[in-house]
Each structure stands twice: as structure tokens, then as C-alpha cells.
Amino acid sequence: MALEQVLKAADFATEVHNDWCPGCGDFGILRTIQMALAEMKLDPYRVAMVSGIGCSAKTIHYIKTYGIHTLHGRVLPVAQGIKLANPNLEVIAVGGDGDGMGIGGAHFVNAGRRNLDMLYVLYDNGVYGLTKGQASPTLKLGVQTKSLAHPNINEAVNPIWLALAAGATWVARGYSYDVKHLKDLIVQGVRHQGYAFLDVLQPCPTYNDINTKEWYGGEDRADQNGGRPLPRVYKLEAEGFDPVVRDPTDIEDKAKQALEKALEWGDRIPIGVFYNNEHVPDMGERIRQRIPTYYARTPAEQRIAGPNGEPLTDVAKLFARLSVPPST
Ligand code: SF4
């Protein structure tokens, strides 16, 4: 596909059969990623998508880019490896809240510390949809969805708090049924210089009968609003919330206001950008300071084997360079 060609969302759609349940919030996320890639005129060969295990993981099969459907909880290490090896690719990692906040929790924390220039999209529905709706780490304490014999006995993880504490430099939340707003967030997340984390409220109509599209849309509160739904989801930017760190001295205040907003849940649920800080060098830049040729000669472009598969790396030389003199 030529760069000058006008790209449409449909150019990023594959013909693979879609297995998601009717009405699943995943459809909105899939569509918005395709729309965002088209808007940014990113040719498919310049994009690598990585997924873990779960309903969300199928996303990469439905988008025409490079893609790896990896192991449960291992989305971020694989995505980070791709970005480190080929920093010229746009890397987008996608996964469910069980995958990312449960088994992948430690990887989530360490991704924040690295601040690699990539986007991670979390499909947040409070259940393990692929395995019949068990409580996932983002389901609130005391909530009983239809697959649970008893109300959830665990406190929920707050992905926005965790991302901020880990060091993510762009932190946002979208809603899968607000496609235009979500597309704008994906564009911003991809363009952010550093690690961008996007939590997406993604109703699972099959197993989460509490946090449904109707619940987010406030249809149960119509009588409080003259017969019209009173949506729970609202946009931060519509209320003048400013997430941008303009000076490093702002960091504490901007982080505090983001943490405060991230606690809102129930009657009012904010979506939009909570925190945006481009004053932290991303990991690629830190590597470049140590290895000046990093971007000019990326690891992915280097030959590692000869014509017969023989390794070209002289391990003995490498060990000699890394050796520490014995203490006397
Ligand atoms: Fe979507 Fe839930 Fe069905 Fe999975 S189980 S495809 S998350 S509706």
C-alpha cells in the first residue's frame, strides 16, 4: 500500500471470521483502532499489534497489520521486545483486564518504569469472558455478575491508579460505545512520546449483566432526567480538566488530580485523558544515549547469522567486554 494513498478504516479489516458475541464492546474497540490507523495514515507494515489470551486477543486477527497472539499475561514483554528490536514500528498492545491486571500485573508495573514509546489498550469488562465469566481483577468488591455463585469477595484493582503509580506517562480511559471519542484517544496514545496506557470500559453483554451498555448510559436513571437517560460516563475535557504536565514542577499536582479523578465510579465515571507528561525520556532515548547508533542501526536490521545459520556474534568478545575485574 503506497504511503500517499488515502487510507480508510476498511483497509485495516481482515476477512477472518469474527467470533465475538453480538453486542460485545470489543467491536467498538476494533473499529476505533482501524479508524485511528487510517487517520494517522499508518501503512499496515509499519504497525505491530500484540495480544494475550482472552476474547480481546482476537483483535489482532481482525486487523491488517503485523500481529502476534501471544501467551496469557505476556502481552507487554512481547510488545516491548518488538519495540526495542525495531523502534521504527508503531507498537500497539491489546488485552483484557484479567490478562493485564492478573497474570500480567508485574509486567504492567515494569512497562511503566521503562516508558517505551508504545500504546497498551486494556479491554476492561470485569470478567474473564473467554472462560465463562469468572470475576476478573477489575470487578468491584461485592458485585455479583451472573456467573458468580456469590458476590465478588476481592477488592478491584484500579488500572488508572496502577498505571500512574508505575510511571506511565500518558494515562486515559475510553468507552467502547463512544467510538469517535475512543478513536481520538487511540490517536493521541499512539502519538504520545512514551508509554501510553488506555483503559477502555468494554461491556461484556454475555457475562457482565451489571456494567452493561444500558448501565453506563444511565438508562435506569431516566426518571431523574425527565424521562431521558442520565449517562454515568462523562468526558473530563468537557469539564475543563487539564491533564497536561507543562513543566516538571507540575508533575505532583497533575498526578494528584488524576488519582482523584480515577476514584470516581458509580453515578459519575470519567473518560478522557487523566495524565499526559512528555518530560520523561522514553526508553529508546535512554538507550540512544548509551548506544548512539541505536536508531541508525536498529537491532532488527542487524545480521545475526551467516548464510549457513552460523552465529555472527562473538560471545567470547562480548563476555570479555562485560567482565568485571576480580576484587583484590
Ligand atoms: Fe465479548 Fe463477553 Fe462475548 Fe467475550 S464473552 S466476546 S467479552 S461479550
Side-chain angles (χ1 to χ4, degrees), residues 7 23 25 33 50 79-80 92-93 96 102 116 174 176 180 187 210 232 250 266 269 280 304-305 312-313:
L7 293 169
I33 295 174
V50 185
Q80 290 169 112
I92 302 175
L116 256 179
S176 61
K180 186 182 173 311
V187 170
I210 307 292
R232 289 182 166 83
D250 282 348
I269 302 173
V280 181
I304 57 169
L312 294 179
T313 307

Side-chain angles (χ1 to χ4, degrees), residues 3-311:
L3 268 177
E4 59 276 10
Q5 184 179 333
V6 177
L7 293 169
K8 300 182 293 303
D11 293 326
F12 290 91
T14 63
E15 287 170 13
V16 175
H17 172 74
N18 191 305
D19 280 331
W20 289 328
C21 310
C24 176
D26 288 357
F27 286 101
I29 305 177
L30 170 65
R31 187 66 179 163
T32 53
I33 295 174
Q34 291 167 337
M35 288 164 66
L37 295 176
E39 181 174 314
M40 290 182 283
K41 298 185 172 53
L42 286 171
D43 265 354
Y45 73 89
R46 292 176 55 205
V47 181
M49 296 203 54
V50 185
S51 65
I53 296 295
C55 299
S56 59
K58 296 173 187 168
T59 304
I60 64 149
H61 299 273
Y62 308 145
I63 299 188
K64 207 183 283 174
T65 62
Y66 289 120
I68 299 184
H69 189 157
T70 181
L71 302 177
H72 199 205
R74 309 300 171 218
V75 182
L76 287 171
V78 175
Q80 290 169 112
I82 292 171
K83 185 70 187 182
L84 285 170
N86 189 349
N88 297 319
L89 287 175
E90 289 296 348
V91 176
I92 302 175
V94 295
D97 48 304
D99 187 268
M101 300 286 104
I103 189 169
H107 296 308
F108 185 78
V109 170
N110 286 291
R113 296 171 55 217
R114 295 191 180 106
N115 197 33
L116 256 179
D117 184 17
M118 55 170 275
L119 170 66
Y120 178 35
V121 183
L122 191 80
Y123 294 40
D124 187 351
N125 57 26
V127 292
Y128 285 89
L130 194 68
T131 51
K132 305 281 182 259
Q134 299 89 344
S136 81
T138 59
L139 191 70
K140 305 288 184 208
L141 175 68
V143 172
Q144 185 175 9
T145 51
K146 66 186 188 193
S147 292
L148 303 183
H150 302 284
N152 184 22
I153 201 166
N154 290 307
E155 281 285 1
V157 169
N158 185 323
I160 304 279
W161 267 51
L162 197 56
L164 287 162
T169 50
W170 186 91
V171 179
R173 184 192 282 141
Y175 176 46
S176 61
Y177 286 96
D178 192 335
V179 168
K180 186 182 173 311
H181 185 254
L182 184 56
K183 182 268 296 169
D184 289 345
L185 289 174
I186 290 170
V187 170
Q188 286 181 54
V190 169
R191 288 187 173 150
H192 173 73
Q193 188 64 42
Y195 176 56
F197 170 66
L198 176 58
D199 179 36
V200 183
L201 305 173
Q202 175 257 310
C204 165
T206 302
Y207 293 113
N208 189 334
D209 53 340
I210 307 292
N211 307 123
T212 59
K213 177 173 174 268
E214 292 72 26
W215 182 81
Y216 284 117
E219 290 183 21
D220 55 319
R221 306 193 299 173
D223 51 351
Q224 296 168 34
N225 197 30
R228 281 179 307 152
L230 186 57
R232 289 182 166 83
V233 171
Y234 75 95
K235 297 186 176 91
L236 286 168
E237 59 275 24
E239 301 202 348
F241 185 85
D242 176 10
V244 180
V245 174
R246 295 200 163 67
D247 183 276
T249 59
D250 282 348
I251 289 176
E252 200 176 317
D253 286 346
K254 296 288 180 176
K256 269 189 200 156
Q257 66 164 16
L259 290 166
E260 202 173 294
K261 279 287 167 197
L263 283 181
E264 284 185 12
W265 188 260
D267 287 345
R268 302 195 82 224
I269 302 173
I271 58 173
V273 181
F274 286 69
Y275 184 75
N276 180 4
N277 179 6
E278 287 199 336
H279 295 277
V280 181
D282 69 71
M283 192 169 192
E285 176 53 23
R286 292 180 212 164
I287 294 174
R288 191 199 60 77
Q289 284 172 11
R290 193 173 291 183
I291 307 170
T293 56
Y294 176 57
Y295 285 112
R297 210 167 152 256
T298 68
E301 292 164 320
Q302 294 181 33
R303 285 178 66 85
I304 57 169
N308 300 313
E310 69 280 12

